[in-house]
Amino acid sequence: MLRIATWNINSVRLRVDQVARFVAESGTDVLCLQEIKCLEDQFPRAAFEAMGLPHLKIGGQKGWHGVAIASRKPIAEAPRLDVCREGHARCVAADVDGVEIQNFYIPAGGDVADRKLNPKFDHKMDFYERLTAEMAGRDQQRPLVLAGDFNIAPGENDVWNHRYMSKIVSHTPLEVETLRRLQAAGGFADVVRDQIPEPVKLASWWSYRAADFRKSNRGLRLDHLWTSPGLTPAVVPASARIHDTVREWTQPSDHAPVTMDLDV
């Protein structure tokens, strides 16, 4: 069995002790991190070796962005998808036990959902379009995981208030349609939502602005684990989980980890 987690850590050096605690408590085998906010030579390798994840693929960037995959098992090379026109460190790839894992930190898109008025939103849409084109040409039977912070909450019950959030970047109709187009291009299963069907409300992100995130309860499901048709049968039933209690820890990331198990 392979337990895969995705987590926007919002600075891996600041929260490396929380990573160690989560890995120990969850039994994670492969951890996909986003917003590591450091260069490759600044990554806390020794701490990851100590927590049992010595095999690393790191895409670093000074002060911003950055992604990494840490694994208990050896990592083989996988194609890196160069879909960020700005050259940011937003994608890292690895092959673990014959499963290709593509880990993304997709741009948030700023505040205005207009490609002409907002270059950040245009970048987000361009990133999705390039990634969709890549997936459209793939062999869907190849075992593939798309993981990461996609910065789109697709379903009505993936946001705290559908009507209000439909006007806010992360849940606008254009973004939802764009995400669905990517999902259709690769025939991907949205593992968490498939295993925990609507109308159950789900969220993996809560703003730091709320003193008590549970009381305000304004969450969004931005963090995703998708599987290709060739891998979806290997997903262990009822294994998908959003670890929202991690959001309660002292000085947490604003995102909670998400896990699933593969029978490979």
Side-chain angles (χ1 to χ4, degrees):
M1 190 193 75
L2 200 65
R3 179 160 293 164
I4 299 178
T6 182
W7 191 6
N8 181 322
I9 193 61
N10 196 8
S11 179
V12 68
R13 291 178 291 176
L14 181 65
R15 298 188 171 86
V16 67
D17 291 342
Q18 293 193 14
V19 175
R21 176 181 172 184
F22 169 71
V23 169
E25 292 182 2
S26 67
T28 292
D29 299 303
V30 180
L31 176 60
C32 299
L33 292 173
Q34 304 87 40
E35 280 203 275
I36 62 172
K37 295 184 176 178
C38 67
L39 294 168
E40 184 172 346
D41 62 4
Q42 298 171 320
F43 193 87
R45 290 176 177 269
F48 277 77
E49 291 173 2
M51 68 180 80
L53 302 180
H55 305 285
L56 299 167
K57 286 286 291 185
I58 302 164
Q61 186 171 340
K62 185 177 181 180
W64 298 94
H65 316 312
V67 282
I69 297 174
S71 175
R72 293 188 192 279
K73 299 184 177 185
I75 285 176
E77 290 296 319
R80 179 182 172 273
L81 301 181
D82 187 18
V83 295
C84 178
R85 72 181 186 196
E86 306 295 334
H88 299 160
R90 292 184 177 273
C91 176
V92 69
D95 187 296
V96 181
D97 274 358
V99 176
E100 179 183 342
I101 300 168
Q102 296 283 350
N103 174 26
F104 295 99
Y105 174 46
I106 297 179
D111 297 325
V112 180
D114 187 307
R115 297 186 71 160
K116 293 180 180 178
L117 296 177
N118 179 6
K120 291 182 177 180
F121 191 76
D122 184 62
H123 179 210
K124 181 178 191 174
M125 294 297 99
D126 182 78
F127 192 106
Y128 266 103
E129 287 164 358
R130 293 178 186 222
L131 182 54
T132 299
E134 288 275 358
M135 292 300 111
R138 286 293 193 98
D139 175 6
Q140 294 190 3
Q141 292 310 304
R142 176 173 172 76
L144 171 63
V145 173
L146 292 195
D149 178 359
F150 293 3
N151 264 312
I152 296 176
E156 292 190 13
N157 291 293
D158 296 328
V159 295
W160 62 275
N161 183 308
H162 169 60
R163 178 176 290 183
Y164 174 79
M165 287 301 303
S166 292
K167 301 169 186 155
I168 306 296
V169 172
S170 71
H171 188 62
T172 63
L174 175 58
E175 289 171 285
V176 172
E177 178 187 343
T178 299
L179 184 72
R180 297 298 188 201
R181 194 176 298 121
L182 170 61
Q183 186 176 6
F188 292 105
D190 177 352
V191 173
V192 174
R193 185 46 89 185
D194 287 351
Q195 292 197 355
I196 310 172
E198 302 215 41
V200 177
K201 288 270 190 184
L202 293 175
S204 61
W205 172 91
W206 297 263
S207 172
Y208 284 131
R209 292 191 182 101
D212 183 338
F213 81 98
R214 291 207 187 277
K215 185 176 180 181
S216 63
N217 199 27
R218 295 189 172 192
L220 309 175
R221 188 171 72 96
L222 303 178
D223 305 274
H224 300 274
L225 291 167
W226 288 4
T227 53
S228 66
L231 184 61
T232 299
V235 177
V236 176
S239 66
R241 180 180 171 193
I242 299 175
H243 298 256
D244 57 351
T245 55
V246 172
R247 185 64 175 77
E248 299 170 355
W249 294 354
T250 303
Q251 292 187 312
S253 170
D254 45 357
H255 294 254
V258 181
T259 58
M260 70 173 179
D261 296 344
L262 298 176
D263 185 7
V264 293

